[in-house]
Amino acid sequence: MSISTERAAWGSRLGFIFAAVGSAVGLGAIWKFPYVMGQNGGGAFLLVYFGCVMLIGIALLLAEMLLGRMSQRTATSAFRVLKGGAWPIVGMFQVLALYIIVSFYVVVGGWTLAYLVSALGGSVIPDSSDQAAGRFTAVISNPTQAIAYTLGFLALTAAVVIGGVEKGIERFSKFLMPALFILMLILMARVLTLPNAIEGLLYYITPDFSKITGQVLIDALGLTFFSLSLGCGMIVAYGSYLTQSHRLVSTSLWVALLASLSGLMAALIILPAVFAFGMNPNEGPGLTFITMPVIFGQMPFGDVFAVAFFALLLFAALTSAVSLLEGIVGYCMDDWRWSRAKASWLICAAVFALSIPNALSFGVWSAPLLGDKTFFDIMDYVAVNILMPAGGFAVAVFIGWVIWPKVRIELAEECNPLWQQVFRWICAVLAPVVIAVIWYTNL
Ligand code: PHE
C-alpha cells in the first residue's frame, strides 16, 4: 500500500488480487476443505459447495468489495457512511466473527509451524499411518507445545500486520502462491498414481444425493464463506483500499476460482491418499496433518517435499491470518481512532487469550462441552456456520435493497445492465433465500 493519499491504497491492480487471493487461499483450502468433505461423504457435498460458490459466493465477493470501495471504510463504518441506522451493528457481528476465527486459526497455524519444524529436522515422515496419527496427537495434545506454537504463529502474523500490509503480502504472494499451486499439482500427480487411489476417489466423489442432509448443506455453506473469506467484513476492509480504477467483477471471479480450486486440489490430494493407505476420511481436523506425511513417505525426496509443503502452507496460512487480523485492526483504527500499533498489540493480546482454550481443546480440554463438540468445535461452528452466513445475508440485503441505486451507478462502468440485474437479483433474493433455507433445514 502506498501512503501517498490520506487513505492507503493498493499499489497495483494485481497487488489487490494477490492480497485477496492470499486471504482466501489458506488453511481453509488445505486443512478444512479435505476434512469437511471427508466428514460429509464426498461428491454430493462437493456439488452443494460448488453450487453455493457459483450461485452466491461470487456475487457476495463483489458485494463486499463494493461496500469497501464505495465507503472507503471497514465493516461497521462502511455501513454507517453508506446508510447508518442500525446497520453498523452488522459490522460489529462481523468483527466478532473475525475475532473468533482468528483465535482458532492461529492454533492450526501453530500446528503448521510445528510440522515445518519437524520437517526441517527430517523427522516428519512416519513408518506407518498409525504412527502419523500418533504423532499428530502428540503434537497437538501437549499443552505447552500447542500454546507455544500458537503464540509463534500469532507473533509472525502480528509482525506483518504491524509492519503494514504491503511489505508482507503484495511482495511475497506474487511468487509464493504460484509455487504452492505447482507443488499441489505435483502432489496430486503422485497421489493419484498410488494403487487404489483412483478407485477410492471415484467411488467417493460419485454423488449420492441421498447423502445431502441438513448437516451437509450447512457445512457446505459454511465452507463457502470460510474458503472465500466472506461474511466477516474482511473483503470489505481490503476493498476499502481500492480506487475507482480497479475492476471488481473480474477480481471476484478470480478469487472465487482460485480459492475453490485450491480446496478441490487439496481434497484430491488428501482423500485419494486416505483410500490408498486405508485410512479414515472421517478423521476430522487432523486429516491433512496426518495424511500428508504418509504421502511424503511415498515420494523420492519426500523430506524436501515435506519442507516445501509445510513452508508454503505456513505462508498461505499467514496471508490469511494477516487478513483476519487486519480486518479487526482496521475496524479499531476507523471506529476508535486507535493507532495501528496500539490496535495491533491489544488485539493480539485478546486473540492470544481466546486461542488458549482453542489450543487446549485437543488435549487437556478435549472433553465435549456441548453435545459432542469441544470448545474449538463450538467456536468453529458459531463463526463459520452461523456468523459468516449471517454477515453475508445482511450484506446481500443491504446491497440488493437498501443502497441499490448507489450500487447501480457504481457498477455502471463495469458491467452491462443485464449483469447488473443478475447481480441485484442474487443479492436481493437468491442469496438471502439460500442462506435462510439452509438454516431452516438445520433448526
Ligand atoms: N479464507 C481463509 C482460508 O481459507 C480464512 C479466512 C476466513 C480468512 C475469513 C479471512 C477471513 O484459510
Side-chain angles (χ1 to χ4, degrees):
M1 278 182 242
S2 53
I3 317 280
S4 52
T5 49
E6 190 194 330
R7 189 174 183 82
W10 295 104
S12 66
R13 179 179 128 80
L14 267 185
F16 174 69
I17 296 190
F18 272 109
V21 171
S23 161
V25 178
L27 295 169
I30 295 161
W31 158 71
K32 208 177 215 327
F33 200 113
Y35 90 78
V36 175
M37 182 170 159
Q39 282 173 333
N40 283 294
F45 173 81
L46 262 191
L47 276 183
V48 181
Y49 169 79
F50 277 102
C52 287
V53 170
M54 309 266 295
L55 286 180
I56 62 178
I58 298 170
L60 283 179
L61 276 168
L62 177 59
E64 294 202 6
M65 284 176 201
L66 283 167
L67 212 56
R69 185 171 76 179
M70 289 168 69
S71 64
Q72 295 284 299
R73 292 285 181 281
T74 54
T76 41
S77 37
F79 286 108
R80 192 171 304 121
V81 168
L82 294 170
K83 186 67 192 179
W87 282 100
I89 296 172
V90 172
M92 290 187 187
F93 279 100
Q94 294 186 327
V95 175
L96 178 67
L98 285 172
Y99 174 56
I100 297 178
I101 294 170
V102 73
S103 71
F104 70 76
Y105 207 88
V106 291
V107 172
V108 184
W111 301 347
T112 314
L113 194 57
Y115 268 74
L116 177 61
V117 169
S118 78
L120 283 169
S123 60
V124 87
I125 294 183
D127 298 329
S128 65
S129 44
D130 283 345
Q131 195 189 35
R135 278 196 189 153
F136 177 70
T137 313
V139 170
I140 62 169
S141 62
N142 174 330
T144 334
Q145 198 172 324
I147 292 179
Y149 278 117
T150 299
L151 191 58
F153 182 82
L154 179 60
L156 287 174
T157 313
V160 180
V161 172
I162 293 172
V165 174
E166 184 203 55
K167 276 184 240 126
I169 295 185
E170 276 197 54
R171 203 170 296 165
F172 293 116
S173 299
K174 290 184 184 136
F175 54 96
L176 289 182
M177 295 309 278
L180 179 65
F181 276 97
I182 294 172
L183 181 66
M184 299 226 308
L185 283 177
I186 299 175
L187 293 172
M188 217 158 83
R190 167 68 277 224
V191 167
L192 290 175
T193 48
L194 287 170
N196 296 331
I198 299 259
E199 291 81 349
L201 180 70
L202 284 181
Y203 165 74
Y204 197 64
I205 62 171
T206 308
D208 172 355
F209 292 101
S210 66
K211 283 195 183 146
I212 302 188
T213 58
Q215 186 63 39
V216 168
L217 292 177
I218 193 122
D219 277 350
L221 181 73
L223 189 63
T224 304
F225 278 84
F226 191 83
S227 63
L228 304 184
S229 306
L230 283 173
C232 54
M234 188 261 120
I235 299 282
V236 181
Y238 272 22
S240 75
Y241 303 118
L242 284 172
T243 59
Q244 222 57 28
S245 63
H246 288 88
R247 298 244 154 250
L248 302 190
V249 177
S250 58
T251 307
S252 323
L253 287 170
W254 274 112
V255 173
L257 183 76
L258 292 174
S260 54
L261 221 62
S262 52
L264 181 65
M265 274 161 70
L268 291 184
I269 295 170
I270 309 281
L271 291 168
V274 163
F275 297 116
F277 303 137
M279 295 160 77
N280 174 14
N282 211 351
E283 184 67 53
L287 190 65
T288 297
F289 291 91
I290 297 172
T291 315
M292 286 313 299
V294 189
I295 299 177
F296 296 129
Q298 301 288 321
M299 298 176 78
F301 307 110
D303 282 321
V304 180
F305 278 108
V307 172
F309 175 78
F310 286 112
L312 289 173
L313 180 58
L314 183 67
F315 178 77
L318 261 179
T319 56
S320 306
V322 163
S323 75
L324 284 159
L325 206 57
E326 178 69 26
I328 315 177
V329 168
Y331 160 76
C332 294
M333 288 165 63
D334 268 357
D335 271 41
W336 300 348
R337 301 268 149 228
W338 287 4
S339 69
R340 172 169 286 276
K342 177 179 173 188
S344 308
W345 283 112
L346 288 178
I347 288 159
C348 281
V351 168
F352 182 55
L354 192 62
S355 72
I356 293 174
N358 278 313
L360 298 182
S361 293
F362 296 88
V364 286
W365 287 351
S366 61
L369 292 179
L370 208 81
D372 59 351
K373 288 187 166 27
T374 62
F375 187 83
F376 183 100
D377 299 331
I378 297 172
M379 291 295 112
D380 183 3
Y381 193 88
V382 168
V384 174
N385 289 355
I386 299 177
L387 287 176
M388 289 179 123
F393 183 99
V395 167
V397 170
F398 190 68
I399 292 276
W401 295 106
V402 182
I403 59 163
W404 176 251
K406 285 188 205 163
V407 175
R408 198 164 70 194
I409 297 170
E410 183 83 7
L411 273 178
E413 262 184 38
E414 257 203 71
C415 62
N416 65 35
L418 176 68
W419 283 111
Q420 287 173 23
Q421 280 315 313
V422 171
F423 175 62
R424 178 178 191 193
W425 189 79
I426 293 178
C427 288
V429 182
L430 189 67
V433 167
V434 168
I435 296 170
V437 167
I438 291 184
W439 272 345
Y440 182 75
T441 54
N442 273 275
L443 288 181

